[in-house]
Amino acid sequence: METVVSGIRPTGNLHLGNYFGAVKNFLRMQKEFNCFFFIADYHSLTTHPTPEDLHGNVKQVLAEYLAAGLDPEAATIYLQSDIPEIAELTVLMNMNAYLGELERTTSFKDKARQQPENVNAGLLTYPVMMAADILIHHAQKVPVGKDQEQNLEMTRKFAGRFNRMYNNEYFDIPQPFNYGESLVKIPGLDGSGKMGKSDNNGIYLAEDPKSIQKKVMRAVTDSGPTEPNSEKPEAIKNLFTLLDVVSTKDTYDYFNDKYNACEIRYGDLKKQLAEDIINFTAPIRERILDISSNTDYLRKVANMGKEKAHESAAKTLKEVREIIGFRSF
Ligand code: TYM
């Protein structure tokens, strides 16, 4: 059976981008593959959270994973920092990752721009730890959103380089994965770019319905098309992308036809979109509230995952150390 690895940074509540880019695939994959889903808490240190924020966010994401439908009996769900083998594999992989290629990574350049006061080495070597996350369990498939495509390309490069260096087909070369045709990018409501935790343009699984409605009604639009069948500007395309993931095909087609006939009323579209998002998130939100107060259950899930993930990681690390040439006397 093929192995799957994916993770999410605990830097805030999960939003619709995380759900439709990643978690939705996790739910189906856990039934079909050997899955490892983790909370990337080492990775989240690149933004220097306080100890309280770190723990609170890890707990929240774990509760949200479970509320969204991740099954700890079917998949291995764990905290990255519970598996120190990942840190050791990162050290080893760092030796074959070159400064130039790390500096050229788009996510590094973006982050360096966003937090010029904190361009730490962890940001630079972020793709190396990501490779360690994936390779430690010999994953073949990695369900991620479109924004992670380049990081995945780096993992593939590092895996291939390790294999060539030691003349050993040890690592599989993992593929980014989505059940649809291509990787997904969920836009924000601010008219451009993607929905992101730090961009203040997200709708969260745990968000209360009133707040969702307010955000959707405030989304950027324009004065409407004047020519039939005209191309949609970015902000309008984004609303349709959201409609496409949360609403029925009939609803999507209805508003699309209205747009094409220059009869669109954005107020109606937004009202429907808000309603469909709320219908989708409300049951998840209820489960989040329920699970996040159940610390005993969360602890049990984390301990179970730690044990299973550790077994797999320890085996890989032992083999990698042997391949590299570490020998005991
Ligand atoms: P992170 O925490 O930023 O996001 C978690 C997952 O959500 C996806 N995602 C989106 N997908 C579509 N549209 C969006 N607007 C959107 N925003 C976020 C991301 O693509 C991701 O799949 N580096 C990773 C975490 C990570 C990881 C890994 C992932 C660490 N190690 C190993 C896979 C395998 C990250 O920062 O994701």
Side-chain angles (χ1 to χ4, degrees):
M1 192 193 280
E2 283 186 308
T3 295
V4 173
V5 171
S6 195
I8 296 188
R9 272 173 308 139
T11 48
N13 294 1
L14 298 193
H15 52 62
L16 294 180
N18 299 134
Y19 186 88
F20 290 104
V23 176
K24 189 174 178 204
N25 288 294
F26 298 0
L27 301 182
R28 192 162 149 198
M29 292 181 104
Q30 68 185 351
K31 301 198 182 106
E32 299 175 12
F33 302 105
N34 177 29
C35 289
F36 293 87
F37 298 129
F38 66 96
I39 297 173
D41 51 358
Y42 281 144
H43 272 123
S44 75
L45 298 185
T46 54
T47 54
H48 292 178
T50 65
E52 293 73 28
D53 282 350
L54 179 62
H55 181 68
N57 279 332
V58 167
K59 197 172 161 194
Q60 180 70 15
V61 172
L62 182 56
E64 294 187 347
Y65 263 174
L66 297 166
L70 283 203
D71 175 1
E73 301 290 335
T76 302
I77 302 169
Y78 62 99
L79 316 189
Q80 187 185 33
S81 65
D82 270 341
I83 312 297
E85 285 83 358
I86 295 172
E88 187 172 344
L89 185 59
T90 305
V91 169
L92 302 175
M93 301 300 287
N94 260 338
M95 307 304 166
N96 310 330
Y98 296 101
L99 185 59
E101 62 190 348
L102 295 173
E103 280 176 338
R104 279 193 299 276
T105 315
T106 317
S107 51
F108 173 70
K109 288 194 282 190
D110 285 350
K111 274 282 183 302
R113 216 174 298 123
Q114 281 164 15
Q115 49 182 70
E117 73 298 342
N118 179 21
V119 186
N120 58 69
L123 281 177
L124 185 71
T125 57
Y126 191 106
V128 185
M129 177 131 56
M130 209 165 140
D133 291 329
I134 294 167
L135 300 176
I136 197 99
H137 302 302
H138 294 272
Q140 285 95 12
K141 287 187 162 57
V142 186
V144 282
K146 177 101 183 132
D147 59 316
Q148 296 298 318
E149 203 167 31
Q150 194 182 31
N151 280 335
L152 247 289
E153 206 43 56
M154 303 286 278
T155 296
R156 293 161 58 78
K157 195 191 264 188
F158 297 146
R161 195 176 285 163
F162 181 94
N163 289 350
R164 278 191 303 282
M165 186 150 196
Y166 296 105
N167 197 15
N168 188 327
E169 290 302 301
Y170 183 66
F171 289 123
D172 289 312
I173 309 296
Q175 297 280 354
F177 183 85
N178 181 280
Y179 278 106
E181 273 160 33
S182 52
L183 300 185
V184 174
K185 178 173 139 188
I186 301 296
L189 288 172
D190 49 357
S192 65
K194 65 159 188 161
M195 190 176 285
K197 283 173 206 146
S198 43
D199 306 327
N200 214 2
N201 64 359
I203 294 183
Y204 299 91
L205 298 179
E207 191 156 347
D208 83 85
K210 276 214 177 72
S211 161
I212 294 179
Q213 181 151 29
K214 237 194 204 154
K215 282 186 182 172
V216 174
M217 294 316 283
R218 271 203 318 250
V220 179
T221 51
D222 57 16
S223 51
T226 48
E227 296 272 329
N229 302 315
S230 44
E231 165 134 29
K232 298 184 184 83
E234 201 63 22
I236 307 303
K237 225 188 268 169
N238 291 351
L239 290 177
F240 275 90
T241 303
L242 288 168
L243 210 54
D244 188 36
V245 291
V246 295
S247 303
T248 62
K249 185 172 179 313
D250 281 353
T251 303
Y252 181 92
D253 290 346
Y254 172 82
F255 286 106
N256 200 34
D257 291 347
K258 289 274 179 205
Y259 184 89
N260 285 334
C262 303
E263 289 168 1
I264 187 94
R265 286 160 52 157
Y266 290 127
D268 293 350
L269 184 156
K270 288 180 181 178
K271 221 169 123 201
Q272 182 71 45
L273 179 61
E275 192 179 313
D276 290 340
I277 292 177
I278 291 165
N279 281 337
F280 170 74
T281 53
I284 302 180
R285 170 179 148 83
E286 263 179 45
R287 287 196 296 273
I288 293 172
L289 294 173
D290 195 32
I291 296 172
S292 54
S293 58
N294 194 344
T295 306
D296 283 346
Y297 176 56
L298 294 174
R299 186 183 309 114
K300 205 174 122 203
V301 169
N303 283 338
M304 210 166 99
K306 175 178 173 175
E307 200 173 309
K308 285 200 271 178
H310 181 255
E311 193 181 318
S312 157
K315 179 170 182 293
T316 303
L317 196 68
K318 181 168 180 288
E319 289 167 356
V320 166
R321 290 178 62 109
E322 269 162 28
I323 290 170
I324 290 180
F326 291 110
R327 306 267 189 273
S328 44
F329 289 96

